[in-house]
Amino acid sequence: MSIKALRVALVVALGASLAACGDSKDEASAGGPTTIVVDCPPQKTDNGGKSLQLWNDDVAAFQKAHPGVTVKTVSVGSQCNNPADFTARLQGGTQADLFYGYMTDLDQVLDADAAEDITKYITADTVPNWDKLLPAIKDPFIENGKAYGLGYAGYGLGLVVNKKLFQQAGLDPSKPPATWQEVAAAAKKISALGNGIAGYQEYSAGNTGGWHFSAALYSRGGSVVSADGKKAAFNTAEGKAVLQNLHDMRFTDNSVGEKQLLQWADLLTNAGAGKVGMYIGAPDTIKAIVTQFKGTYEDWAIGPMPGDGGPAKSTLGGGSGYFFKKGLTPAQIKAGLQWVTFEKLTPGQGDFNYVAQKGMGVPVGLPEPLIWTPGSDVQKQDDELKKANSNLNLADYAPYANSPVKIKAEPGRAQAIYAVLDAAMSAVLTQPGADINGLLATAEQKVNTILSQEA
């Protein structure tokens, strides 16, 4: 059985063990003051500093409610997890006590022996809404029935569109392209506006190219790896279609822009400058465009992931959370769980304090995050609070929210696989004579080597 399959199989065992963890409260409550260092606060420039102010207000409120606990925060950059920097911190042991990571990072974190087993500390006292979280949010931080982190953010990728550029090109932004064929046609019209505008833009470096290759592959009904996780599965007609489509858009239509090898911040910087008509992203990227890259909410809308000739078969879903650094004391682990719960997992407070956010002029209403079990009381509460306090045009997100696409999880060893697939993505976007068959064959061989090392 693969590690990923074993992880999923043992989630039930973890759930059962939590029911018997009531006595862990006393063990976690060591005497004396407790300090935890948490990374990934809002940037100073986010919403003119308002988001960071809200975070600091939350820290003060949390510390008042938990006397003796001090929360210190440290920024690790606007992306929170740049893969190269993240790896360097793990190798150097310089990560924060609670360090932000993607759902695909558990293998790397465990390989570095960088996270603490927090299983017995997850109780009704520390994480009251644990049983309301989607398994897809919890499972990626669990290995062999042991939890090493706490997920708090989930997403499903869709098609983000620039309303202003759509209108200038004679397109209707309330009806985003539903197929890759429609994306190509719309991109050609938008790029014809000139002035350095790319009708559609794509990633191809820093593991982001492989990430988006996987998303486009899923939308066509393909898979990155086989069902048992032991072999690469992308050297197929669907995989070739992903690369051929991008190659044609680059060298036949010239609708994706000449500057390539883009990473996360590069594309969103271009989008914030009004130079991108469409890109694949989650709702939170709209927030990033505004808070970090000088864009405006009024310019952006989002629809479901496009499919090949029809609706998407599925869309890539993922997310993030906090890992707990190896060597933390029981008191630090308990305080960390309570902080994440306070800030990230409780409707009406922290990230879900829409009243405070609206009062400070921070936008409310994006269809995110996807973390609660549908129909649960917390999901209903969050939806009601968001709707009651929204200060955005919810119609801009209706195509995405009202036409949900089946979410498919990222593959095991995702970051290593994405790094391999970056090469194929960058080649078809930079080389007129790119050999698509050869690129996929080479990538397949390399990914098979990676997967063969999986115990």
Side-chain angles (χ1 to χ4, degrees), residues 235-271:
N235 189 3
T236 60
E238 292 82 10
K240 293 173 185 177
V242 173
L243 297 183
Q244 189 66 56
N245 181 58
L246 288 174
H247 188 267
D248 290 346
M249 292 178 73
R250 170 66 181 92
F251 293 105
T252 300
D253 297 343
N254 195 27
S255 60
V256 296
E258 294 183 0
K259 185 177 181 181
Q260 298 300 328
L261 304 181
L262 304 177
Q263 299 190 44
W264 184 82
D266 302 320
L267 192 156
L268 297 185
T269 297
N270 296 339

Side-chain angles (χ1 to χ4, degrees), residues 126-247:
T126 56
V127 192
N129 289 326
W130 171 266
D131 62 342
K132 311 294 177 58
L133 287 170
L134 288 167
I137 299 301
K138 297 184 286 188
D139 296 358
F141 297 89
I142 297 169
E143 186 74 80
N144 292 345
K146 297 179 180 180
Y148 295 91
L150 194 59
Y152 65 80
Y155 68 82
L157 293 177
L159 182 69
V160 185
V161 304
N162 184 312
K163 293 164 57 181
K164 183 181 295 184
L165 294 180
F166 260 63
Q167 291 166 347
Q168 290 176 5
L171 301 167
D172 184 354
S174 70
K175 298 178 181 178
T179 68
W180 286 109
Q181 291 78 9
E182 291 176 2
V183 168
K188 191 172 183 179
K189 291 181 179 179
I190 294 170
S191 64
L193 296 172
N195 197 29
I197 292 171
Y200 175 83
Q201 203 154 68
E202 189 53 278
Y203 297 127
S204 56
N207 297 11
T208 57
W211 172 43
H212 272 203
F213 171 90
S214 302
L217 182 69
Y218 285 178
S219 76
R220 290 170 164 85
S223 294
V224 178
V225 299
S226 58
D228 61 8
K230 295 181 179 180
K231 294 287 185 180
F234 52 76
N235 189 3
T236 60
E238 292 82 10
K240 293 173 185 177
V242 173
L243 297 183
Q244 189 66 56
N245 181 58
L246 288 174
H247 188 267

